[in-house]
Amino acid sequence: MARTADPAATAIPARLLADAVHALWRHWYEPPALTLTPAARARASTLLWADLYPAFIASLPAAGEVPLAP
């Protein structure tokens, strides 16, 4: 996982944000889906990893850093 060592940083690496969001989604959204039917679980997984996550990654700035303030 990417890290930033500077607590006063004004931006973070896009890879760090992508890793954090991936971990959050993997641990917060996938476990509740285990209670769903297999078809619903597959649909939820497709929505997360084939639709939402790629759209999130595409929304990150091309420069490689994400500003921490607007």
Side-chain angles (χ1 to χ4, degrees), residues 10-26:
T10 59
I12 60 171
R15 186 72 242 159
L16 174 61
L17 183 57
D19 286 349
V21 168
H22 186 273
L24 289 172
W25 288 8
R26 171 81 58 209

Side-chain angles (χ1 to χ4, degrees), residues 1 5 16 22-23 29-30 32 35 39 42 46-47 50 53-55 61 66 68:
M1 178 179 269
L16 174 61
H22 186 273
Y29 292 126
E30 283 195 338
T35 63
T46 297
L47 177 63
Y53 189 72
V66 179
L68 294 175

Side-chain angles (χ1 to χ4, degrees), residues 1-60:
M1 178 179 269
R3 302 191 187 282
T4 184
D6 183 2
T10 59
I12 60 171
R15 186 72 242 159
L16 174 61
L17 183 57
D19 286 349
V21 168
H22 186 273
L24 289 172
W25 288 8
R26 171 81 58 209
H27 295 287
W28 286 358
Y29 292 126
E30 283 195 338
L34 295 176
T35 63
L36 301 173
T37 65
R41 187 171 40 245
R43 206 165 85 216
S45 182
T46 297
L47 177 63
L48 272 176
W49 305 116
D51 297 334
L52 296 175
Y53 189 72
F56 167 72
I57 295 298
S59 75
L60 295 176

